[in-house]
């Protein structure tokens, strides 16, 4: 039973390029969450998605960041025109529809480095 | 506002007991979670408290006092593999499911 799968694990981009991070939730899970972890900082909530719907994007920066979870395929976090401050670890988590609120199953993260 | 405080680092000896504290100031508190995160790996769920008291799960226990805005994670019979960061997180009314506020984590080093 595969866990939450994220790819790529490591991504290097130059300033101004685009970064696309993918997340396949755990089998049977229909809720996906993206978190960002800056160096020496705690995990920060970005967005919560269900299939084809954005439920809560209160943590998403207003510009350059977008997320989707299509009917088929993985969830994607897209960062356009990356800047050095976007360098961070991006974690995806999933959960089943019902269960302990907040019991999240995390992937191993995608580490973005912007040169 | 929402704020969570926990010590940055702790050191303990193999076989000993260690208590990691977490204090929070959160509007509309709705539950507290502890996660373990080994360096470079995914955070993994350890415990959940919503009512006051102690929840025990094997070598790990978690305590909550809602009136004091305080929790601790107790690790007994420490093993080297317990060296990791321990993340305190809270959920709150007004936040969607899975929208947790995390502390910066406590890095625990277990020494022989």
């Amino acid at each position: 039973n595969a866990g939450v799968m994220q790819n790529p694990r490591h991504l290097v981009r130059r300033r101004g390029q685009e970064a696309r991070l993918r997340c396949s939730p755990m089998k049977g899970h229909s809720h996906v969450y993206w978190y960002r972890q800056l160096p020496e900082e705690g995990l920060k909530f970005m967005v919560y998605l269900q299939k084809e719907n954005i439920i809560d994007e209160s943590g998403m920066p207003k510009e350059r960041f977008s997320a989707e979870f299509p009917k088929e395929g993985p969830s994607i976090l897209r960062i356009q025109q990356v800047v050095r401050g976007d360098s961070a670890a991006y974690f995806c988590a999933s959960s089943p529809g019902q269960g302990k609120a907040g019991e999240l199953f995390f992937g191993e993260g995608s580490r973005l480095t912007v040169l | 506002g929402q704020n969570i405080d926990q010590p940055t680092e702790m050191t303990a000896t193999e076989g000993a007991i260690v208590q990691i504290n977490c204090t929070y100031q959160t509007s509309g508190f709705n539950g507290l979670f502890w996660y373990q995160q080994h360096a470079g790996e995914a955070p993994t769920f350890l415990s959940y408290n919503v009512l006051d008291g102690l929840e025990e799960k094997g070598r790990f226990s978690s305590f909550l006092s809602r009136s004091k805005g305080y929790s601790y994670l107790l690790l007994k019979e420490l093993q080297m593999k317990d060296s990791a960061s321990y993340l305190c997180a809270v959920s709150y009314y007004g936040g969607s499911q899975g929208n947790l506020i995390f502390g910066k984590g406590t890095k625990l080093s277990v020494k022989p």
Side-chain angles (χ1 to χ4, degrees):
Chain A
N1 187 17
V4 177
M5 303 301 291
Q6 290 188 248
N7 70 83
R9 293 291 310 279
H10 299 275
L11 183 63
V12 179
R13 285 286 178 266
R14 296 191 180 280
R15 279 179 296 170
Q17 292 184 318
E18 179 179 287
R20 281 189 182 227
L21 309 177
R22 295 173 199 78
C23 170
S24 295
M26 190 175 282
K27 188 176 180 182
H29 286 189
S30 57
H31 299 239
V32 165
Y33 315 85
W34 285 93
Y35 278 79
R36 177 164 63 177
Q37 189 172 40
L38 293 165
E40 310 303 322
E41 294 291 323
L43 288 159
K44 300 284 189 214
F45 170 82
M46 299 180 76
V47 62
Y48 162 31
L49 309 108
Q50 295 179 22
K51 284 286 186 182
E52 301 185 279
N53 283 306
I54 297 174
I55 307 301
D56 179 0
E57 57 181 351
S58 58
M60 286 281 269
K62 293 288 183 280
E63 297 176 346
R64 303 187 297 108
F65 285 71
S66 61
E68 62 176 6
F69 189 15
K71 188 176 180 182
E72 302 290 338
S75 175
I76 295 175
L77 180 68
R78 181 184 179 204
I79 312 172
Q80 295 177 287
Q81 300 171 351
V82 296
V83 301
R84 289 224 173 101
D86 297 333
S87 295
Y90 292 84
F91 286 92
C92 172
S94 70
S95 69
Q98 299 295 327
K100 287 198 194 82
E103 182 177 356
L104 307 179
F105 297 82
F106 282 88
E108 294 196 324
S110 292
R111 280 151 184 84
L112 172 66
T113 301
V114 180
L115 302 178
Chain B
Q2 321 280 19
N3 190 49
I4 297 178
D5 287 309
Q6 50 181 134
T8 305
E9 293 185 36
M10 297 183 72
T11 303
T13 305
E14 193 176 14
I17 299 173
V18 71
Q19 177 174 311
I20 302 174
N21 296 325
C22 171
T23 57
Y24 61 89
Q25 297 89 39
T26 308
S27 301
F29 174 83
N30 189 29
L32 187 139
F33 302 80
W34 284 96
Y35 281 80
Q36 179 191 61
Q37 186 179 23
H38 286 97
E41 297 185 12
T44 55
F45 170 83
L46 288 178
S47 68
Y48 169 62
N49 295 70
V50 65
L51 300 175
D52 285 358
L54 189 68
E55 295 278 344
E56 296 187 77
K57 194 188 291 185
R59 293 189 300 115
F60 292 8
S61 304
S62 57
F63 171 83
L64 176 67
S65 168
R66 294 178 67 132
S67 62
K68 291 185 169 67
Y70 167 69
S71 172
Y72 66 73
L73 180 69
L74 193 70
L75 292 76
K76 303 176 187 173
E77 300 168 16
L78 280 172
Q79 302 175 9
M80 299 299 289
K81 68 178 182 179
D82 297 329
S83 292
S85 287
Y86 291 86
L87 316 179
C88 176
V90 301
S91 62
Y92 60 101
Y93 291 109
S96 60
Q97 171 181 315
N99 182 345
L100 303 183
I101 302 166
F102 279 84
K104 293 184 180 181
T106 299
K107 185 177 179 181
L108 174 67
S109 299
V110 179
K111 310 233 179 274

